[in-house]
Structure formats: structure tokens, C-alpha cells
Amino acid sequence: MTTVEGRVEVPAPEAAPSRSAASTAMRRSAPIVGALAGFLAVWYAVTYLLLPARQRFLLPPPHEVYGGALSNPQLMGPMLEALGRTFAVALVGLVIAVVFGISYAVVMSQWSWAEKILYPYAVILQTIPILALVPLIGIWLGYAFPARVAVCVIIALFPMIANTLFGLQSASAAAHDLFTLNKATRWQRLTKLQFPAAVPSIFTGLRNAAGLSVIGAIVGDYFFQQGAPGIGGLLRVYTQRLQMEALLTAVTLTALFGVVIFTVFAVLDRAVVGRWYGRVAR
């Protein structure tokens, strides 16, 4: 304790040592590891306890599925190439859905009559089963890359429209009144008030649309057989041939692919929205 010019200064307490990066990583990965272990345990139980020996080819144990597939380059090579094609379809479809969805929502947010006219079309597009549109898409666009992208856009579009519109309309009335008092233009109101208020909702829609674009790419690959096959096309072939090891490996790859895409946009969401809005890390 020291005194400076008659004032008593108390030394600040030392900061508690931060947890190591390794312990933090272990804490965060423990639920994932536990869920994976539980899944594998259920898989083994179903294979060896529920299925008779003569039916175990329907669900081979994990070590046979992944051990045989990962050690077979003739199987994994085409599968990874197909996954890359599916990624390209999903990425292009997502970009189109994001651009068109945000633009569509901006138009509706600026004029109430535009929302009344345009929003029902977005709802109709969302409610029509995609399998009912697949034949028409194939007839109109062919059965190659453009048709698969169109399926992605149709599936991923509505979350971008709905979430963006909600975000653009979420600014408070008091904030709008302040912009009105300052004689802000429509463009200033949109860029400096509505878009900043809509950022969290836009990223929510982006996360959902990213996952749905992967589903759309796989659905398009599954039904459109022209051109180089995507992972959905391989799923169809493996199903028809009852190649269970290859089928389960392909399903696992598609699941991991979807998880990676969702995680990337979730991390981006946390980085951008957390920085803008001061979200507390948990």
C-alpha cells in the first residue's frame, strides 16, 4: 500500500489465471465426443443385439463400414469428387438465394403494397413440396448443373426472405421518428437504420439457408442423373445396388458436409453479430 499526495492507493488484485487453451477445447468438445460415442454404441447394439446374423448386411458395424471404405481408394476417390461437385452446386445456389432473398425483402420493406403483393409468392414457393417441382425443373432446365442449382435456390430462398424482412422491420418506432425529424432519405434510413437492425436476423437466415442449400444440392443430385454425379447420385446408385458399406459412408460424408457448412456460418455469425452487438461469449 502506498500513498500519493495524501491519497491511499490499494494495489489491484491479481487477475485469476486464465484456463489453458487445451482445457477449454476439451470442455467444448466433450459433448460432441459423448454424442458420437453414444451414437456408435447404439449402432453396435442394433447390429449385434437386434439384427439376426443373416440380416447384418443391412447395417454392418462401424468398423466394417468405415474400415473398408477408407482403405479403398477406388471407392473414396469418386465419392470425394462427387462431394466436391455437390459443394459447388450448394455454394452457387446459396449465393443466388442470399442475393435474391435480401433484394426481395428490401423491396417489401420499403413499400407496404409490395409486401402485400410479393410475400404470398414467397409463401407459396415454400409450401409447394420440392419433389412436385423436380420434374418441371428437369423439363425446363435440363438435368445437369443449372437444374440442381435451381433446386437449391428454391429450398434455401424462403429463410433468407422471411428473416431479412423481419430484421428490416424490427427497428423501433422511436428510431424511425428520429430519422424522420432529421429528414433522412429512404436510402439513409435503409442503410443506417434498417440494415444494422437486421444483421442478426440476416445471419439467422443465412445459417438456415446454408443447411437447406446442402439438402437442395443432394436432392438435385439424387433426381437429375445427367452429367457428372454428385453425392446424391452416388447415394441413389448405392441404394439400388444395396452396397451398404458405401451407402453408409456416403451418408456420413453428407452429414459431416452439412455440419461443416452450418458451423462455418455459425462462427461467422458469432464473429460479426457478436462484434456489432456486444454478444457475451458463453
Side-chain angles (χ1 to χ4, degrees), residues 76-87 221 229-234:
M76 291 302 299
M79 200 177 295
L80 293 176
E81 291 178 2
L83 189 64
R85 299 186 192 103
T86 300
F87 172 75
D221 289 336
I231 195 69
L234 293 185

Side-chain angles (χ1 to χ4, degrees), residues 170-190:
S170 65
S172 65
H176 279 287
D177 292 341
L178 180 62
F179 273 69
T180 302
L181 288 174
N182 286 276
K183 299 180 180 180
T185 64
R186 187 184 295 272
W187 176 253
Q188 290 173 330
R189 188 185 300 268
L190 174 65

Side-chain angles (χ1 to χ4, degrees), residues 52-115:
R54 64 180 182 277
Q55 294 183 356
R56 284 178 186 165
F57 72 94
L58 296 175
L59 186 64
H63 65 273
E64 292 184 7
V65 172
Y66 301 123
L70 296 177
S71 62
N72 186 357
Q74 295 180 350
L75 178 65
M76 291 302 299
M79 200 177 295
L80 293 176
E81 291 178 2
L83 189 64
R85 299 186 192 103
T86 300
F87 172 75
V89 173
L91 182 61
V92 174
L94 177 62
V95 170
I96 295 175
V98 169
V99 173
F100 187 78
I102 292 178
S103 303
Y104 202 90
V106 167
V107 172
M108 288 191 295
S109 70
Q110 298 304 299
W111 298 279
S112 58
W113 59 264
E115 181 180 358

Side-chain angles (χ1 to χ4, degrees), residues 103-168:
S103 303
Y104 202 90
V106 167
V107 172
M108 288 191 295
S109 70
Q110 298 304 299
W111 298 279
S112 58
W113 59 264
E115 181 180 358
K116 294 178 182 178
I117 294 174
L118 296 178
Y119 197 76
Y121 291 104
V123 174
I124 292 172
L125 189 65
Q126 173 70 11
T127 55
I128 295 177
I130 188 61
L131 296 182
L133 295 177
V134 164
L136 292 175
I137 295 172
I139 293 172
W140 293 336
L141 300 178
Y143 299 90
F145 188 86
R148 301 173 188 182
V149 171
V151 174
C152 284
V153 174
I154 291 174
I155 292 180
L157 184 59
F158 185 78
M160 286 305 308
I161 294 175
N163 284 279
T164 303
L165 180 61
F166 172 79
L168 292 173

